[in-house]
Amino acid sequence: MTQPFRHCTSYVSAVWPDITVDYADDHLLITSAEPLTAVSSALWRGGWTTATHFVNWKVPLTYRCENPTEMMREQMAVWGYPADAAIGLQTAAKITHAALEEEAGDRYRIVCCATAGTSNGARAGKIRETFSAYQCGTINIFLLIDALLTPSAMINGIITATEAKSAVLQDLQIVDEDGEIATGTTTDSIVLASTQKFEYGAPHRFAGAATTIGNAIGRLVYKAVYEAVATQGE
């Protein structure tokens, strides 16, 4: 079982004990003992930044907010988390069904956490109804990595993770509103954060599927997203 929050409220990584994941009624909190360099599509402090706290906030299906970023900032204060050291995503998916996968390998340790709902499955690359913005994520992926990566390798890792997510939807036959295989949902988000430890020596310069670290990213994301999607109806 890689869904610990069906049975408990706290999880400590077996391969990287500095990473903990805690469940509350309305959010998941992933905490790192040291600041991580992150790149993400997060609503709160997305882009390039550093963080120790990574939040996945479950909002209700009726959620509507004209200023979701401000709402996220206010909620960080309610929880008592350091807003200037946190990255925040939002989701309507079941956080009790968050799936975790982890691995240690060739100059890396990786912890992957994913939540998923696919009611708004979509296929990229086709004409469809569009809107100016969305407020929250549906398939949310957190990739925490203890390694040294170049900035381009971090972006490459996000590409690999996205490909793995799309492969899950293909294998599980998740479709869009027209019955075509979805490549994602309309509101997905991803965080990739790394320790950037120089003790590892030469950095990982690539993170595609044929590299050791990229292959691990793909496999861990695939397994975590697969379980989160496959069990979303339970």
Side-chain angles (χ1 to χ4, degrees):
M1 173 63 69
T2 57
Q3 294 178 308
F5 305 116
R6 288 175 176 243
H7 308 288
C8 66
T9 59
S10 187
Y11 179 81
V12 178
S13 170
V15 301
W16 187 5
D18 286 345
I19 301 299
T20 59
V21 188
D22 293 293
Y23 165 78
D25 288 338
D26 62 349
H27 70 283
L28 291 178
L29 172 66
I30 305 173
T31 309
S32 169
E34 60 182 305
L36 304 181
T37 298
V39 59
S40 78
S41 60
L43 176 69
W44 179 255
R45 297 186 73 241
W48 290 94
T49 189
T50 59
T52 54
H53 291 59
F54 304 85
V55 176
N56 197 15
W57 180 21
K58 178 177 171 54
V59 295
L61 289 173
T62 56
Y63 170 82
R64 295 291 184 273
C65 181
E66 294 182 358
N67 192 341
T69 303
E70 178 62 19
M71 190 174 179
M72 194 89 195
R73 184 193 66 78
E74 293 173 354
Q75 194 63 37
M76 291 286 184
V78 171
W79 292 323
Y81 301 155
D84 59 351
I87 290 174
L89 308 185
Q90 297 180 359
T91 185
K94 293 179 180 178
I95 55 176
T96 51
H97 288 50
L100 276 73
E101 295 288 344
E102 53 190 353
E103 178 177 303
D106 175 22
R107 294 180 294 130
Y108 67 75
R109 291 184 291 181
I110 303 175
V111 176
C112 175
C113 178
T115 57
T118 60
S119 60
N120 57 336
R123 184 176 181 86
K126 59 180 283 188
I127 296 174
R128 57 157 293 137
E129 183 181 9
T130 58
F131 306 90
S132 61
Y134 286 101
Q135 284 85 12
C136 58
T138 302
I139 298 179
N140 284 349
I141 299 168
F142 294 84
L143 271 170
L144 276 62
I145 304 175
D146 179 28
L148 178 61
L149 299 96
T150 64
S152 58
M154 293 179 71
I155 299 298
N156 201 175
I158 287 179
I159 293 172
T160 300
T162 303
E163 291 173 350
K165 174 197 70 178
S166 295
V168 169
L169 301 186
Q170 180 180 16
D171 290 348
L172 289 176
Q173 296 290 292
I174 303 299
V175 298
D176 68 4
E177 69 274 18
D178 297 322
E180 297 185 73
I181 294 295
T183 56
T185 83
T186 55
T187 52
D188 295 344
S189 197
I190 186 168
V191 177
L192 187 151
S194 172
T195 57
Q196 298 298 78
K197 284 185 179 175
F198 288 99
E199 292 91 332
Y200 279 106
H204 295 275
R205 298 187 180 279
F206 306 96
T211 66
T212 53
I213 194 167
N215 186 267
I217 288 171
R219 286 185 289 102
L220 296 181
V221 169
Y222 182 93
K223 288 191 288 186
V225 173
Y226 191 103
E227 184 160 27
V229 171
T231 61
Q232 63 181 308
E234 295 180 2

